[in-house]
Amino acid sequence: MTYPLEQVLVVMPAFNEEAVIGQVISEVRVTLPGAQVLVVSDGSTDRTVQIARGAGARVLELPFNLGVGGAMRLGFRFALENGIPVAVQLDSDGQHNPSDVPALVARLDEYDVVIGARFAGEGDYEVRGPRRWTMRFLSATLSRALGTRLTDTTSGFKAHGPRAIALYAHDFPAEYLGDTIESMVTGHRAGLRFTQIGVAMRERAGGTPSHNPVKSAIYLGRAFFALVIAFLRPRAWSAPAA
């Protein structure tokens, strides 16, 4: 089935994004009229909450920083409890283009999770050094495990259908990289169907980038550890039948 924008919840995890959050929300509301916008403040200590509400978004607040996984789990629970069949994860820093959302949502008639992939022929986004090697290894490993070709397994731009929402509202990893690597393994074991489409990434509209050379080196070790945990973690839930 085709989901209209009125059945789409755009979930934006945000940690201290006061410099850009209002602009991003305004763009989402103009680009995706009718879609609901939910900002999950992940323990923000600046004016993220006030600015997001002023821009017209619904805001939920976490008392302290849990990371993207914790914020998204709250977003999935909100969608499930309010009967919203589609949840789209969108970065609050302006790097994801809201105009790509309809294309992601359109594929939910066949799949449960549609990934907006940065390395699938769209745009000129590049990653170098250890992060690039790690991303390639992760994509190759998870593509083999999930039985489908994926080129960007750490993307934070994804559309989720009803079965994914039902699963992830109860069982969505909150640890480092769990929202990407581990959630895919969890979803696959529960019977979710994954695919990707190419999207173009943009520069941050403001705020502070989360990666620098030192963090990129640390990322290498943590990513391998996250992958091991993903395959060792026992399955706790199964997605409902399609």
Side-chain angles (χ1 to χ4, degrees):
M1 65 176 294
T2 301
Y3 296 99
L5 287 175
E6 289 75 15
Q7 294 183 324
V8 174
L9 176 70
V10 178
V11 183
M12 297 170 52
F15 175 64
N16 292 343
E17 295 286 2
E18 66 176 9
V20 69
I21 190 77
Q23 175 185 334
V24 176
I25 293 170
S26 296
E27 183 182 10
V28 171
R29 296 185 67 194
V30 169
T31 307
L32 306 171
Q36 301 182 55
V37 182
L38 175 68
V39 171
V40 181
S41 174
D42 189 19
S44 296
T45 56
D46 62 0
R47 297 183 63 248
T48 292
V49 170
Q50 298 92 317
I51 294 174
R53 286 181 175 143
R58 177 74 177 267
V59 179
L60 298 179
E61 297 182 66
L62 291 170
F64 45 82
N65 185 261
L66 292 178
V68 175
M72 282 304 303
R73 185 162 54 192
L74 184 57
F76 289 126
R77 288 182 179 175
F78 179 91
L80 184 64
E81 291 173 1
N82 288 276
I84 304 172
V86 176
V88 176
Q89 179 182 349
L90 184 83
D91 279 359
S92 57
D93 59 13
Q95 287 190 293
H96 297 154
N97 192 335
S99 64
D100 290 323
V101 168
L104 270 66
V105 173
R107 298 301 305 276
L108 291 175
D109 58 348
E110 301 176 66
Y111 298 93
D112 300 299
V113 180
V114 182
I115 302 166
R118 297 165 288 185
F119 316 112
E122 296 291 333
D124 55 3
Y125 182 83
E126 287 188 318
V127 175
R128 301 182 184 277
R131 291 191 70 217
R132 181 181 182 181
W133 309 329
T134 305
M135 286 179 173
R136 286 186 172 181
F137 171 78
L138 293 174
S139 294
T141 302
L142 290 173
S143 292
R144 187 175 298 109
L146 273 62
T148 186
R149 184 174 183 271
L150 301 171
T151 61
D152 189 6
T153 52
T154 59
S155 171
F157 191 15
K158 296 187 284 261
H160 307 80
R163 297 176 71 237
I165 290 172
L167 173 69
Y168 289 147
H170 297 287
D171 190 18
F172 195 74
E175 61 271 12
Y176 183 80
L177 289 177
D179 60 296
T180 54
I181 299 169
E182 191 172 344
S183 71
M184 295 180 69
V185 176
T186 299
H188 173 66
R189 287 177 171 176
L192 297 185
R193 301 157 298 181
F194 291 81
T195 193
Q196 69 175 31
I197 65 171
V199 298
M201 288 284 286
R202 307 185 297 192
E203 295 294 328
R204 285 183 62 97
T208 303
S210 58
H211 287 282
N212 57 40
V214 174
K215 290 183 177 180
S216 292
I218 296 173
Y219 175 93
L220 179 63
R222 287 183 171 180
F224 283 109
F225 181 74
L227 185 63
V228 172
I229 293 298
F231 285 105
L232 292 178
R233 185 173 183 259
R235 186 176 73 180
W237 290 79
S238 292

